[in-house]
Amino acid sequence: MVWLIIIAIIAVIIFWGIGAYNKFVQAKEMVSNAMAQIAAQVESRWDALTNLISATKQYQSHEYETLTKIVEARSNVSKDSTVKDVEKDDAAFNQAMKAINVVVEQYPNLKASEVYQSTMNSVNTYENNVRQSRMVFNDTVTKYNRLIKTFPNSVIAGFTGFQPADYFENSAEKAEMPQW
């Protein structure tokens, strides 16, 4: 009888451990999915920027070449990217936008063009989508981190190598929506 109780307790612990592990896998996959959503928005934002760069081509070839090099040098963000990868990509995007603003200031006709206005609206829309995707990512990371840090889940997480995920931090320059 004692052996049956011991075996039952061991079986319950094993099934609980398997269930906890599967929850960790599901939560980690949700974090990857949230990063993939950011990647999709970042890609769309870069596509809009590329269209904006094409609009500047007719005004100044030097700036066009500089901006094209920035776009080519950008990092590709994917579902496997880290928060630092996305922040590095953001820095490249901001550098390109500043360069475009310089061109726009030199050529008022560009700023007034319908193509420029339409493309800037797209860039702003995608910028907002990236911000929203980051908020979803941080919410997903909170759920994942809470799952692996709470006892007794933390025991299984420690044995199986699940580590807390990083959040997007809000800096002074990210606190406000960029004004292009």
Side-chain angles (χ1 to χ4, degrees):
M1 183 69 165
V2 173
W3 286 106
L4 288 175
I5 294 173
I6 292 173
I7 290 172
I9 291 172
I10 291 172
V12 167
I13 291 172
I14 288 173
F15 285 120
W16 168 78
I18 291 170
Y21 177 82
N22 288 338
K23 285 181 186 175
F24 300 153
V25 170
Q26 290 170 352
K28 184 69 171 171
E29 191 59 31
M30 292 301 292
V31 170
S32 294
N33 180 291
M35 182 58 80
Q37 298 300 321
I38 292 171
Q41 296 303 325
V42 165
E43 187 68 29
S44 296
R45 181 176 68 174
W46 277 103
D47 289 344
L49 181 69
T50 301
N51 291 338
L52 195 58
I53 291 168
S54 294
T56 67
K57 182 179 182 180
Q58 66 186 21
Y59 289 90
Q60 186 73 345
S61 62
H62 171 71
E63 281 86 351
Y64 173 77
E65 291 169 10
T66 302
L67 294 169
T68 301
K69 288 179 184 172
I70 291 171
V71 171
E72 289 171 356
R74 74 182 175 100
S75 62
N76 288 321
V77 177
S78 71
K79 74 177 186 81
D80 299 321
S81 295
T82 64
V83 169
K84 289 184 191 269
D85 294 337
V86 175
E87 288 174 347
K88 180 181 171 189
D89 186 84
D90 283 347
F93 182 83
N94 289 333
Q95 180 184 5
M97 287 304 298
K98 287 176 185 174
I100 286 176
N101 284 336
V102 168
V103 174
V104 169
E105 292 302 319
Q106 292 174 349
Y107 301 96
N109 292 341
L110 173 61
K111 192 173 191 175
S113 82
E114 192 173 313
V115 171
Y116 175 82
Q117 294 294 326
S118 172
T119 307
M120 276 309 288
N121 288 336
S122 294
V123 169
N124 288 332
T125 298
Y126 290 121
E127 184 67 29
N128 190 43
N129 291 347
V130 169
R131 289 171 61 91
Q132 294 295 323
S133 294
R134 284 180 175 193
M135 291 183 340
V136 169
F137 177 84
N138 279 350
D139 288 345
T140 306
V141 167
T142 297
K143 292 173 187 172
Y144 168 74
N145 286 348
R146 188 180 306 133
L147 180 66
I148 67 169
K149 288 179 179 180
T150 56
F151 185 80
N153 289 342
S154 59
V155 175
I156 299 296
F159 284 134
T160 55
F162 285 93
Q163 299 293 320
D166 292 331
Y167 293 95
F168 281 104
E169 299 293 328
N170 196 18
S171 65
E173 58 189 36
K174 290 181 191 171
E176 294 296 321
M177 184 75 169
Q179 299 299 316
W180 311 118

